[in-house]
Structure formats: C-alpha cells, structure tokens
Amino acid sequence: MEGKKVVYFKLLGSFSYMDSEEETGDQEISALNVGKKTLSFLQYLLVNHGRNISEEELIEQFWIGNSSDPANVLRVTLFKVRRLLKKMLPQYENVLLTFPGYYTWNSEFSLQLDTEEFERICLTAKRAVEEERCELSLRGIALYKGDFLSANDSEWAMLLRQYYRTLYLDLCKGALSLLSREERWMEIVSICEQAYQTDFTVEDFTVYRMQALIALGQPEQTIEKYQIFRDKMLRELEMPPTERVEQLYILAAGLGKEDVGVQEILDLVCEEEPDQRAFFCTFEIFQSIVALERRHCARSQQPSSLVIVSLDQEGAPAADARRLERVLLDSLRAGDPVARLGAGSYILMLTGASLENARLVMNRIDYTFCRTYRRSKASLSYRLAALHS
C-alpha cells in the first residue's frame, strides 16, 4: 500500500471525497451537477471497488428492461463517469480501467470508504472486551454522519442503507448500555438524540435519554422529550408508549414538582377528566391489570372474562383495524381494559362478566361493527376464557 495514491470517499451522510495528495477538505460531489443515474452508477462502482465488475452485472443492475440497447447506454454512462472522475481528480489519469467484458479500478490508487471502516469497527466491537468495546462503539457512532447515500433511491442502495442503519442502531444500543453503567449521561443524551432521528421507534433511545436527563437534574426536558415521543408514536404508529416510558415520565413529573402535597400527588395519579370510553393500554399494563383482577376475583368470588377478538379480513387491514379499535373503545365500559396484540387483533377483559355475559357483549360488538361499517368486507371472530384466581 505504501506509495499508492489514496482517495477517501464518504458515503454515510453527504456523498463527498478527499484526495490525500491534494490535502484538501471534503469535496461535495453533488455540487458537480451530475445526473442521478450517472451518480448512482459511480457509487455502485465505488462500493464494489475491490473486485472486477462485469458488463452483464452493470446492465442487469441498471438497464434490464429499461433500454432497447443497454450495451450502448452502458458505454455512454461510462464516458460520463470518466469525465466526472476527471473533474474530481484532475491530476490523475486512467482511474477507471476497461478490460474485455469487465471494468476495474486502477490498482495504483487506493480507494478508501467510510462504510468499510464503519463496518470493520462494528464487527471488531462485537468481539472486544467491555472497555475496548465502548471506545470502538463511540468511534463507529462518530463515523455515522447519516444514512448510506440517502439521496440514492436505487434498490441496491436502499438494501445497503438498511444494512448500515441496522449496524448503527445496534452499535448505539450496545454503547448506551455500557455508558449507562459508567453514568456518562451527557454522552448518552448526545447519542440518543442522533439515533432517535434515525429511528424513533427504537424505544431504547427514548428510555436512555429520559434516564440521563433525570440523572442530570432536568425533569422538565425529560417531560418535553416524552411528550414529543408520545405524540409521534400516536400520530405515526397509532400506539402509545410502553410502560417503561410511562414510568419514567411519572418519575420526571414528580421530580419537577417542589413541595408536593397530598392533593398534588392525588392529582398526578388520578385523571382530572376521566375518559368515558374503555381503557386502551399497552400489553404490559394490561398484564398488570389482569394480575390485580385475579387477586380481586379470589377475594370476591366474582367472575371476569378475557376475550381475544380478531379480524378475518378480505379488505384493507389497516382501516378495519382502526374501525375495530374505535368500536371496542366506544362499546365497552370505562373500566374495561383493552390492549393491541397485533394488526387487527386485540385482547380485553370484561370485569365482573361471566362467559355467558361476555358472549352477549361480543355479539353486540359484532353487530355494532357490521352495522356501522357496512361496506367493510372484514368480519370478527373472538375467543373467550374465564379469568381464574
């Protein structure tokens, strides 16, 4: 490798490059006014720089079924790519070489990619001892400036984008666990903020950030982050946060109050305006409610029933699932808990209801659903079970 000309390409975040001989900073390739197809073609060649790339592979990747003369289009695109490389690296000749049936990069050049360095760090971190794993993880996280070639919507790029994103999210989760043991709260907040932007649905990032903010004595910020996360979960996934997040919120709300009195504690625990519909909750909270009800049944000898209700669907599952959820919440009593099991599947508890009464309730809900949404092709099925103490 000694004596070779090195060009470093960044594919995570903005697509840029740096030539070691020129000793210049990052050069934004997007500023060179290149077509998307040509740019994607160059990026594909860069990602596969360690091997010979055949004409058949390139045609199949970029023009299969999209051109009557793919071989000619390939030659034109290669001409554009070479002209682009000349603009990028004017001091070099013959950066990309052509051989019968395939193309390869000139071995006089050393192409280095941030993705390769990032992947190497991720794999090494998995095998490293705890202290070294933490530092490697932080190095990898610092390298990840954004999603892989985020402006490239080609299938090959999207597959790799998901791969590197998964590596990054796993690296963050591992680092947060290690940093939490060392109480490195500021670093945790920083990592969580970046990772949250990549995938807010990974609850660990919200949990660790809330824990860190509480430890730093910032309950108001904790509540603010919770509210943003909760609103986004309900808006985009139609799901509330899990019990882990809710418990941290309650803790932050309590810490945010000075000289909390008895009435304030009661106000914090009790809703000021109780919802008159059934109680929709996470499965974890549902389990806790059922456990309490089982104890109550043992004392009172009163029956309660569990019901799993599902959609047998031929229509649109997302729309019908929302309709079923609405019917359940409006038809059941305010004290009856309901939790989502999966797409179009719910579990609920009918407090104080025998199996016979539970069957009557479900027949009424079935009738209400069919009458309200006559055009839906979905039908309901349900299974009953007595809640034993």
Side-chain angles (χ1 to χ4, degrees):
M1 296 290 291
E2 190 173 347
K4 282 193 175 184
K5 304 158 187 173
V6 178
V7 183
Y8 187 81
F9 284 89
K10 293 184 179 180
L11 310 182
L12 298 171
S14 61
F15 182 35
S16 60
Y17 69 99
M18 183 170 62
D19 176 18
S20 61
E21 284 203 358
E22 290 294 309
E23 296 183 350
T24 56
D26 288 357
Q27 305 295 311
E28 287 282 352
I29 297 173
S30 57
L32 297 176
N33 194 23
V34 185
K36 288 182 66 175
K37 194 84 168 187
T38 303
L39 198 58
S40 179
F41 190 88
L42 170 60
Q43 291 164 344
Y44 187 85
L45 293 174
L46 286 169
V47 169
N48 295 282
H49 72 92
R51 62 184 180 86
N52 300 331
I53 309 171
S54 69
E55 292 180 350
E56 290 79 6
E57 177 184 341
L58 292 169
I59 289 173
E60 183 177 349
Q61 188 66 247
F62 288 92
W63 294 289
I64 191 73
N66 297 325
S67 173
S68 58
D69 189 4
N72 184 57
V73 178
L74 171 59
R75 286 191 292 272
V76 172
T77 304
L78 278 165
F79 173 78
K80 292 179 180 178
V81 166
R82 285 198 171 94
R83 187 170 59 184
L84 173 60
L85 288 169
K86 190 63 180 175
K87 287 183 182 178
M88 293 165 55
L89 307 167
Q91 69 277 29
Y92 300 144
E93 295 288 341
N94 300 321
V95 178
L96 186 63
L97 303 177
T98 301
F99 290 92
Y102 70 91
Y103 306 92
T104 190
W105 293 89
N106 193 326
S107 59
E108 293 181 4
F109 298 89
S110 174
L111 295 182
Q112 297 182 6
L113 311 182
D114 61 345
T115 49
E116 293 173 338
E117 185 180 357
F118 175 73
E119 183 179 34
R120 187 163 50 249
I121 288 174
C122 290
L123 298 177
T124 305
K126 288 183 179 181
R127 301 188 297 268
V129 295
E130 186 170 302
E131 184 177 345
E132 185 184 359
R133 185 164 70 250
C134 185
E135 295 311 311
L136 281 169
S137 298
L138 294 177
R139 279 176 52 198
I141 290 167
L143 264 179
Y144 196 91
K145 303 297 185 183
D147 281 340
F148 173 81
L149 297 176
S150 56
N152 190 332
D153 55 5
S154 303
E155 184 177 356
W156 71 267
M158 289 190 287
L159 290 172
L160 282 174
R161 185 174 306 138
Q162 187 57 48
Y163 169 68
Y164 289 117
R165 181 183 292 179
T166 301
L167 286 181
Y168 167 69
L169 295 175
D170 287 345
L171 202 65
C172 287
K173 285 186 280 188
L176 290 171
S177 175
L178 297 170
L179 292 172
S180 180
R181 294 179 206 171
E182 299 178 14
E183 300 184 1
R184 294 161 66 173
W185 307 121
M186 291 300 295
E187 290 172 273
I188 287 174
V189 170
S190 177
I191 290 171
C192 287
E193 286 178 353
Q194 181 181 338
Y196 180 91
Q197 298 303 318
T198 301
D199 190 349
F200 82 93
T201 65
V202 180
E203 190 180 83
D204 284 0
F205 304 140
T206 295
V207 168
Y208 276 111
R209 178 161 58 176
M210 291 177 71
Q211 288 174 340
L213 289 172
I214 288 172
L216 290 169
Q218 300 176 12
E220 296 82 6
Q221 285 197 38
T222 308
I223 294 170
E224 180 185 341
K225 298 301 181 185
Y226 160 80
Q227 290 170 338
I228 293 171
F229 174 68
R230 184 177 186 277
D231 291 346
K232 197 165 187 177
M233 286 288 291
L234 292 172
R235 184 175 63 253
E236 298 190 19
L237 300 181
E238 298 184 353
M239 292 177 62
T242 66
E243 188 176 4
R244 278 201 308 169
V245 176
E246 296 290 357
Q247 288 172 344
L248 287 169
Y249 164 68
I250 292 171
L251 175 60
L255 291 172
K257 292 178 177 289
E258 296 181 1
D259 302 323
V260 181
V262 173
Q263 187 57 48
E264 288 174 307
I265 293 174
L266 291 175
D267 291 342
L268 182 63
V269 174
C270 303
E271 294 178 337
E272 293 180 5
E273 297 181 5
D275 194 338
Q276 297 305 309
R277 303 192 306 168
F279 178 60
F280 188 77
C281 58
T282 66
F283 185 73
E284 290 84 355
I285 293 176
F286 183 87
Q287 286 179 302
S288 299
I289 295 172
V290 170
L292 288 172
E293 180 60 19
R294 286 183 65 189
R295 296 184 184 186
H296 174 72
C297 290
R299 292 196 304 271
S300 66
Q301 299 301 308
Q302 294 294 316
S304 288
S305 298
L306 295 174
V307 184
I308 295 177
V309 57
S310 304
L311 288 167
D312 298 326
Q313 297 169 340
E314 297 176 9
D320 286 326
R322 287 195 293 271
R323 291 165 178 169
L324 173 57
E325 187 173 305
R326 192 176 300 119
V327 169
L328 289 173
L329 295 180
D330 290 340
S331 301
L332 296 171
R333 298 167 298 179
D336 294 332
V338 181
R340 184 186 287 113
L341 290 177
S345 179
Y346 297 83
I347 185 168
L348 53 105
M349 182 172 68
L350 299 175
T351 308
S354 64
L355 287 177
E356 182 180 351
N357 289 337
R359 190 170 287 107
L360 292 173
V361 171
M362 294 313 300
N363 287 339
R364 175 167 52 83
I365 287 173
D366 189 13
Y367 173 76
T368 302
F369 182 88
C370 294
R371 184 190 62 187
T372 307
Y373 304 107
R374 292 185 178 132
R375 295 186 179 181
S376 171
K377 296 181 180 180
S379 60
L380 305 187
S381 64
Y382 58 86
R383 289 173 287 169
L384 304 173
L387 182 63
H388 299 290
S389 59

